[in-house]
Amino acid sequence: MWKRDDAAKPNAPGGPGPAPAQHGSVPPAAEAAPGKPAPAGDPQRGQEKTAVNIGKSVVIKGELNGSEDLTIEGQVEGKIELRQNVLTIGPNGKIKAQVFAKAVIILGEVTGNVTASEKVDIRDNGSVDGDIASPRVAIAEGAHFRGSIDMQKGAGSQKTEGKPATASAPAASAQGQQQGQPSSPATAGANR
Amino acid sequence: MLSDILRWGGKRSGQPDERHDTSVSRGAEPLVPSKAFPKFLSAIANRPEPPVLIDFGPVIGTNVAFFGEQLGCKLFIEDLFADFDRHARAGTLDALPATIDSRFRHADGSVDGVLCWDFFDFLSKPAAQSLARQIVRMLRPGGAVMGFFCTSSSVDRAPFTKYEIVDPNSLRHKAHPGSGGKKYAFLNRDIIKMFDGLIVSDSFLLKNNIREILLRRRS
C-alpha cells in the first residue's frame, strides 16, 4: 500500500497544496491532461481533462495564454490570459500580473489588474492589490483588496477583448523564463 | 454661510422616522438607521456618467455589490483604517498626515462621492486637515462627502467599526479587527473649517450621539 503512495508522490520537493477547482488526483505541479481520454466509468476524470494545475514550486515570468481552466499555486509574473476559462489562484499562488479571464477565483495574492468577463471572486484570505473590471465581483469577509472596482456592464469583456496589457506585463514569451517544473500545454505562451 | 449653519441646526431637530428610530441588534452587530446615507445616494445619483466613489473603509462584499451592481458606481477602496493600523503598530502616527498627502492618485475634481465613515474620529487635527484637503481637492462640483463624527469628549482608545450597507436607510455596525485608536471629537466649526470649499448640506444627530454629516461641493 505504501509503495503505491510513493509512486504517486511528486518528483519535485514541496508539492503543491490542494487545488480547489479540481478533485483529487491532479498531479502536483504543472500537470495537464488535455486531450487525454478519460478512463471509462470515471466521470470525475473526464471533467479533469481541461483543468490544469501549476504547482507551488513553479515560477513563470512572461505571458500565460490558454483555453483551459487553470489553477495556479505557484508564482506568475507578467500577463495571464484565459479569455474563455476560469482561473483559480490557489492559497499558495502569488501573481504579479495583468489577469484576463472569464472568471477569476482568488484565494492567494494578486498584484495587478484583474479583468473578467463574468466574475471575480475574492475568497477569505485572498488578496488583490489592483483594479478589478468585471460585471460581478464577490468579496468574502477577511479578504484584502486595494484598488478600484468597475462593474459596468461589459467592463470586463470590453477590456478583455480590446485593451492590451500595459505596465508590468513583460514583453511576452521571448524573454520569459520558467523555473521549477515544466508547465502545461495550456501555458502556451510561457517559456521554459 | 449663515443659511448653511441655520440649515444644519434645523436638521438636528428634524422629526425622526419612527420606522428606523431604534437600533435593531443582531448579536453584537447593531443595525443602525442612517439619515445621511439616503441623501448621499441621491446626491450621487443624478450623474450623466457612472459615479466615481471612494470608500475609506475596509472592503466589504455587500457594499461592493450595492454600489457596483445596484448603482453602477465605479468604486475605489482606499482602506485608511489599515493605513492607520499600520502606522499605529509601527509607532509612526506622526507621519500619517504626510502619508495622506501623498496617497491619493485621483485627479482634481474627479470624484463624485466620498464615504469617510467615522475615520475622522481617529485623526488628530493635522491629519484630519490633510485628509479634508485631499477630499476637497478630489471632489467634483456637485459631489458629496459623508462622514460620522462622535460628539462625546475624546476617548483614549476606541475600536474601529465596519459599516455594512443593509439597505439605503440602514447600516450594520460590525466589529473591525483593527487595533483602534484614540478618538477625537471635532466641533462643528472645526469641521466646517477643515472642509473649506464645501458646504454642510445636512447634519443629523442620532440617538447614539453620532453626528452624520453630509457635505457638498456647489455645482
Side-chain angles (χ1 to χ4, degrees), chain B residues 69-88:
Chain B
E69 287 182 18
Q70 293 186 37
L71 304 183
C73 299
K74 182 169 185 182
L75 186 62
F76 286 84
I77 306 290
E78 303 283 356
D79 188 354
L80 294 183
F81 290 91
D83 285 9
F84 183 97
D85 228 18
R86 200 169 50 248
H87 278 284

Side-chain angles (χ1 to χ4, degrees), chain A residues 146-162:
Chain A
R146 186 182 169 190
S148 73
I149 298 172
D150 190 350
M151 297 168 76
Q152 296 302 306
K153 282 179 184 169
S157 55
Q158 275 173 5
K159 288 181 184 176
T160 305
E161 284 161 13

Side-chain angles (χ1 to χ4, degrees), chain A residues 1-17:
Chain A
M1 191 66 183
W2 59 272
K3 278 184 179 175
R4 193 168 57 195
D5 288 346
D6 272 358
K9 277 183 182 171
N11 293 329

Side-chain angles (χ1 to χ4, degrees), chain B:
Chain B
M1 189 61 175
L2 181 61
S3 64
D4 294 333
I5 294 168
L6 291 172
R7 202 166 160 200
W8 188 357
K11 288 286 182 184
R12 287 178 60 168
S13 58
Q15 291 192 345
D17 181 351
E18 290 302 322
R19 285 175 305 159
H20 296 290
D21 196 33
T22 45
S23 302
V24 181
S25 292
R26 193 184 71 179
E29 298 177 349
L31 186 64
V32 179
S34 175
K35 301 284 186 188
F37 188 56
K39 290 184 176 286
F40 174 82
L41 294 178
S42 60
I44 60 167
N46 299 319
R47 294 274 164 192
E49 291 187 355
V52 176
L53 296 186
I54 300 180
D55 185 344
F56 287 165
V59 66
I60 297 176
T62 48
N63 294 4
V64 169
F66 180 82
F67 286 114
E69 287 182 18
Q70 293 186 37
L71 304 183
C73 299
K74 182 169 185 182
L75 186 62
F76 286 84
I77 306 290
E78 303 283 356
D79 188 354
L80 294 183
F81 290 91
D83 285 9
F84 183 97
D85 228 18
R86 200 169 50 248
H87 278 284
R89 286 177 204 277
T92 56
L93 274 177
D94 291 346
L96 191 59
T99 305
I100 288 170
D101 275 337
S102 60
R103 189 185 199 285
F104 296 99
R105 54 185 163 150
H106 307 274
D108 295 1
S110 63
V111 173
D112 296 295
V114 181
L115 292 157
C116 300
W117 307 118
D118 63 346
F119 187 65
F120 275 96
D121 283 351
F122 295 94
L123 295 180
S124 63
K125 212 165 183 177
Q129 280 170 340
S130 290
L131 183 57
R133 210 166 35 239
Q134 289 297 318
I135 291 170
V136 172
R137 177 186 69 77
M138 293 184 289
L139 202 66
R140 188 172 284 167
V145 180
M146 188 179 79
F148 303 154
F149 296 84
C150 66
T151 50
S152 53
S153 55
S154 300
V155 179
D156 276 346
R157 188 147 210 90
F160 295 146
T161 304
K162 290 198 286 188
Y163 297 91
E164 183 186 55
I165 299 163
V166 177
D167 60 52
N169 295 303
S170 47
L171 306 168
R172 176 162 287 122
H173 293 203
K174 301 177 79 171
H176 187 293
S179 57
K182 184 176 179 178
K183 257 189 163 180
Y184 300 86
F186 289 104
L187 300 173
N188 289 346
R189 67 168 176 267
D190 291 336
I191 296 168
I192 293 170
K193 276 183 191 169
M194 268 191 318
F195 288 96
D196 188 25
L198 308 186
I199 58 162
V200 176
S201 72
D202 294 277
S203 176
F204 304 96
L205 180 63
L206 303 185
K207 279 192 169 179
N208 57 8
N209 282 329
I210 290 175
R211 287 170 291 169
E212 289 189 333
I213 294 180
L214 190 70
L215 300 116
R216 304 284 302 271
R217 167 166 264 179
R218 290 185 196 278
S219 300

